[in-house]
Amino acid sequence: MTTMNKQWRLKERPIGAPSAETWDYTESELPTITDGQLLIKIEYISMDPAMRGWLNDAKSYIAPVQIGEVMRAGTVGEVIESKHEKFAVGDYVVGHNGVQSYAVSDGTGLHKVDPNLAPLSYYLGVLGMPGMTGYFGLLKTGKPKAGETVVVSGAAGAVGSLVGQIAKLKGCRVVGIAGGAEKCKFLVDELGFDAAVDYKNEDVKKGLKQACPNGVDVFFDNVGGDILNDVLTQINLRARIVICGAISQYNNTTAVKGPSNYLSLLVNRARMEGIVVFDNIKEYPIAMKEIAGWIQSGDMKVKDHIVEGIETFPDTLMMLFKGENFGKLVLKVEG
Amino acid sequence: MTTMNKQWRLKERPIGAPSAETWDYTESELPTITDGQLLIKIEYISMDPAMRGWLNDAKSYIAPVQIGEVMRAGTVGEVIESKHEKFAVGDYVVGHNGVQSYAVSDGTGLHKVDPNLAPLSYYLGVLGMPGMTGYFGLLKTGKPKAGETVVVSGAAGAVGSLVGQIAKLKGCRVVGIAGGAEKCKFLVDELGFDAAVDYKNEDVKKGLKQACPNGVDVFFDNVGGDILNDVLTQINLRARIVICGAISQYNNTTAVKGPSNYLSLLVNRARMEGIVVFDNIKEYPIAMKEIAGWIQSGDMKVKDHIVEGIETFPDTLMMLFKGENFGKLVLKVEG
């Protein structure tokens, strides 16, 4: 039996939520490589909210995925064939190699990782793009000081759970906003957050008032919409709002909901600032080393949510937008 | 005939635009002063968009005006009686002495100005609160660099016309957004702006695209609403948006219109930050000196819009919200 390359390609740009119509599933024979190339057997594929944005035909921080292209995604896998001087068979590599079971690469954007230092999936989460996003977004843009109150939305997700834990390590009061009692309990009991607000079952503004008696100094927002608007009513003088994402708005068919309470920025001389992880690429090694240290010392806990089988990609991706993932969502290629 | 003190007091908090119902006009005999007090004959009263916010019973950067109180306003006037060691009869003083023809003060918040150095009304405009707002908001928060493109809304107003002229002095390309051909012509022909967009007769997004071929690096916003939203589509990487005000939204009876394009902050790693002029109070003298120098050298032009007669206060104030003022709006107490 020939081994086949299983691939998910963009068939049609979605209006609103991606659906079955959005994707094409194809199988083809394994590609052959030429000089300067290598072949990767992908083991894990990262499922990230940012992927929704890559489907839009709009100017952004990165080019949109083209119709017919294999869907862009962060991946980790093993080099199984190499005609590239820097990579050898048996190396494990991380890169944006797409939603497919095998990828040919010329080495661009690849970096090697050590499967013995951490579980492979960590390189897509806490030691990967979400980890870097949370680390640099919080520390460089949020600039939390010990004693301040840090609120994070999407708190049980890949970025949020890391942001909250780093803020705790920096001596802050940390409050997470997440959906459902189970996630909220996890944030407080397992990750050591000071409090959690369950947006699915609580009035967020009331919940925040209770959880943040001294107001909000830093808000790290992954969600947007009503949650951003509610937090804006609770910010302190010179608060920093880090705009990391707006998952509540990505599948809108109407206009994004703008924060009508934005004049709270004026009253409080506060700042709202957007971040894109790739700006920090040169400093990734510093962050990875520090995060790895926290994991090793037990100061940081990691929760991955692994779904098996590349065939499930369309439904697995949608778990992000339904809030069904609990921790970093990763697709394991082989079921 | 006894001289009377003419006063405008807050009668009822407005919902939406202030109207006749909002104000009480009263006349009373001149107050007598006691030790440590002085009596000011007010000559000019500043009309500022911020006054609308002071009418709302909401937590803000300054306490709301109370029902029955004389309306808060910046004023300039002459000391006509003094039992205060620091002020003498004949001194001219600026302060928040309210919409009235005479005021008793204990000296708090007063400072002396020289009527020979500049027309008295300038101390409410270019050398007063609007001047300080534009100067510090642009330079400390907008941080324009030579060669960058600076856009300012409410560009023919007190703050906007100063912001644009300072940005020109700093070597920037400057584009003003204002209402009507006359104001736009004034910005370009008189103040030296590079271009102007007439929001009353042009599509703002199209106008900006044409006027800002290299995008927008700094946006100084006095207006909010659709204009803020349109500018957000044109910003550059690491743009700075200074939130100074949102005059288009102050009289809303429904929610403020939030900027639905705020995710442009993310894509562009841009920043939106609120300012309140009072934070810079210790540095006012530096700014006043520099602005006075620019006026003297002819590098800065000043346009006051003076309406006569304290009796006209309610209608005069409304000119701001209708965009009917052309330059700094000042009420001259005596008609």
Side-chain angles (χ1 to χ4, degrees):
Chain A
M1 207 183 85
T2 328
T3 303
M4 301 297 281
N5 190 11
K6 301 172 177 177
Q7 299 177 308
W8 285 97
R9 294 169 184 275
L10 178 60
K11 181 177 167 191
E12 197 178 288
R13 299 199 185 282
I15 296 161
S19 69
E21 306 307 304
T22 309
W23 312 107
D24 247 341
Y25 176 78
T26 57
E27 292 195 0
S28 56
E29 282 185 28
L30 283 205
T32 52
I33 58 173
T34 56
D35 275 354
Q37 292 188 324
L38 59 146
L39 182 65
I40 306 162
K41 181 177 190 296
I42 295 173
E43 301 208 358
Y44 294 96
I45 301 171
S46 187
M47 300 285 104
D48 295 293
M51 293 164 81
R52 178 63 189 84
W54 303 341
L55 301 179
N56 296 334
D57 193 15
K59 191 192 150 218
S60 189
Y61 61 92
I62 196 170
V65 176
Q66 296 303 309
I67 303 288
E69 263 189 335
V70 171
M71 178 58 193
R72 181 187 295 139
T75 59
V76 60
E78 187 181 0
V79 178
I80 57 168
E81 207 187 324
S82 180
K83 295 183 178 175
H84 191 294
E85 58 178 4
K86 289 192 178 151
F87 296 92
V89 170
D91 282 349
Y92 282 85
V93 290
V94 162
H96 273 87
N97 294 108
V99 184
Q100 55 187 343
S101 45
Y102 292 88
V104 174
S105 168
D106 63 1
T108 305
L110 282 192
H111 65 270
K112 293 183 207 176
V113 297
D114 185 342
N116 298 314
L117 272 183
L120 272 185
S121 61
Y122 281 26
Y123 293 107
L124 300 180
V126 69
L127 297 172
M129 196 172 78
M132 301 302 103
T133 303
Y135 182 94
F136 292 107
L138 178 68
L139 297 179
K140 283 171 86 167
T141 305
K143 295 193 176 83
K145 291 189 278 280
E148 288 190 326
T149 297
V150 174
V151 172
V152 56
S153 62
V159 175
S161 59
L162 181 108
V163 164
Q165 291 183 84
I166 297 180
K168 280 304 299 176
L169 288 167
K170 298 292 174 188
C172 299
R173 175 173 178 82
V174 175
V175 176
I177 305 174
E182 195 195 358
K183 287 182 182 173
C184 287
K185 192 170 155 34
F186 167 77
L187 294 177
V188 174
D189 292 352
E190 300 295 322
L191 302 189
F193 283 34
D194 296 286
V197 176
D198 177 359
Y199 76 86
K200 285 189 177 165
N201 299 296
E202 276 183 77
D203 180 289
V204 171
K205 216 152 99 177
K206 265 193 213 164
L208 282 173
K209 263 190 195 167
Q210 219 161 21
C212 309
N214 299 319
V216 177
D217 298 296
V218 177
F219 176 44
F220 192 105
D221 190 24
N222 295 301
V223 170
D226 291 332
I227 286 180
L228 169 58
N229 217 28
D230 284 342
V231 176
L232 276 165
T233 66
Q234 306 297 316
I235 60 172
N236 287 336
L237 214 61
R238 309 214 178 276
R240 288 82 69 199
I241 297 178
V242 183
I243 302 294
C244 175
I247 196 167
S248 72
Q249 306 295 307
Y250 290 168
N251 290 320
N252 280 9
T253 50
T254 54
V256 163
K257 188 161 190 170
S260 60
N261 293 323
Y262 84 102
L263 288 172
S264 176
L265 297 177
L266 190 160
V267 172
N268 293 296
R269 299 81 150 162
R271 160 190 302 183
M272 188 185 277
E273 189 165 349
I275 57 161
V276 170
V277 64
F278 305 123
D279 294 338
N280 306 289
I281 204 156
K282 285 185 186 157
E283 296 167 83
Y284 283 1
I286 302 167
M288 287 178 75
K289 199 177 156 189
E290 187 160 21
I291 295 171
W294 287 328
I295 295 172
Q296 212 157 19
S297 66
D299 283 330
M300 178 163 295
K301 293 189 181 165
V302 182
K303 189 172 175 69
D304 280 348
H305 185 149
I306 297 177
V307 176
E308 297 189 355
I310 194 171
E311 293 78 6
T312 69
F313 164 66
D315 290 338
T316 303
L317 181 67
M318 284 310 296
M319 292 175 69
L320 289 171
F321 302 104
K322 295 175 183 165
E324 291 174 355
N325 62 304
F326 191 170
K328 166 61 193 166
L329 188 63
V330 175
L331 182 59
K332 189 167 186 292
V333 172
E334 298 200 341
Chain B
M1 206 182 85
T2 328
T3 304
M4 302 297 279
N5 191 10
K6 300 171 179 178
Q7 300 176 307
W8 284 97
R9 294 170 184 275
L10 178 59
K11 182 177 168 191
E12 197 177 287
R13 300 200 184 280
I15 296 162
S19 69
E21 306 307 304
T22 309
W23 311 108
D24 247 341
Y25 176 77
T26 57
E27 291 196 0
S28 56
E29 284 185 25
L30 284 205
T32 51
I33 57 171
T34 56
D35 277 353
Q37 292 187 324
L38 59 145
L39 183 64
I40 306 161
K41 181 175 188 296
I42 295 173
E43 301 209 359
Y44 293 96
I45 301 171
S46 186
M47 300 285 104
D48 296 293
M51 294 165 81
R52 178 63 188 84
W54 302 342
L55 302 178
N56 296 333
D57 193 15
K59 190 191 151 218
S60 189
Y61 62 93
I62 196 169
V65 175
Q66 295 303 309
I67 302 289
E69 261 188 336
V70 172
M71 180 57 195
R72 180 187 297 140
T75 60
V76 60
E78 186 181 2
V79 177
I80 56 168
E81 206 186 326
S82 180
K83 297 183 176 175
H84 191 295
E85 57 177 6
K86 292 193 175 150
F87 296 92
V89 170
D91 283 349
Y92 281 86
V93 289
V94 162
H96 272 88
N97 292 109
V99 185
Q100 53 186 343
S101 46
Y102 293 88
V104 174
S105 169
D106 63 1
T108 305
L110 282 192
H111 64 270
K112 293 184 207 177
V113 297
D114 185 342
N116 299 313
L117 272 185
L120 272 185
S121 61
Y122 281 25
Y123 293 108
L124 301 180
V126 70
L127 296 172
M129 197 171 77
M132 301 301 105
T133 302
Y135 182 94
F136 291 108
L138 178 68
L139 298 179
K140 285 171 85 167
T141 305
K143 296 195 177 78
K145 291 189 278 278
E148 288 191 325
T149 298
V150 175
V151 172
V152 56
S153 62
V159 175
S161 59
L162 181 107
V163 164
Q165 290 183 85
I166 297 179
K168 278 306 298 176
L169 288 166
K170 298 293 174 190
C172 299
R173 175 174 178 82
V174 175
V175 176
I177 304 174
E182 195 195 0
K183 287 182 183 174
C184 286
K185 194 171 153 35
F186 166 77
L187 294 177
V188 174
D189 292 353
E190 300 295 322
L191 302 190
F193 284 34
D194 296 285
V197 176
D198 177 359
Y199 75 87
K200 284 188 177 166
N201 299 297
E202 277 182 79
D203 180 288
V204 171
K205 219 153 95 176
K206 267 194 214 164
L208 282 173
K209 263 189 198 170
Q210 219 160 22
C212 309
N214 299 319
V216 178
D217 299 296
V218 176
F219 176 46
F220 192 104
D221 190 24
N222 295 300
V223 170
D226 291 332
I227 287 179
L228 169 58
N229 217 29
D230 284 343
V231 177
L232 276 166
T233 65
Q234 305 298 317
I235 60 172
N236 287 335
L237 215 61
R238 308 216 178 276
R240 289 79 70 199
I241 297 178
V242 183
I243 301 294
C244 176
I247 198 168
S248 71
Q249 306 295 308
Y250 289 169
N251 289 321
N252 280 10
T253 50
T254 53
V256 163
K257 188 161 189 170
S260 60
N261 292 324
Y262 84 102
L263 287 173
S264 175
L265 297 177
L266 189 160
V267 172
N268 294 295
R269 301 80 149 162
R271 161 191 299 182
M272 187 185 275
E273 189 165 350
I275 57 161
V276 171
V277 63
F278 305 122
D279 294 338
N280 306 291
I281 204 156
K282 285 185 186 158
E283 296 167 83
Y284 282 1
I286 303 168
M288 288 177 74
K289 200 177 157 192
E290 187 159 22
I291 295 171
W294 287 327
I295 295 173
Q296 212 157 20
S297 67
D299 284 330
M300 180 165 291
K301 293 189 180 164
V302 182
K303 189 172 176 68
D304 279 348
H305 185 149
I306 296 177
V307 176
E308 297 189 353
I310 193 171
E311 293 78 7
T312 69
F313 163 67
D315 289 339
T316 303
L317 181 67
M318 283 311 296
M319 292 173 69
L320 290 172
F321 301 104
K322 294 175 183 164
E324 291 174 355
N325 62 305
F326 191 170
K328 166 62 193 166
L329 188 63
V330 176
L331 182 60
K332 188 168 188 288
V333 172
E334 297 199 343

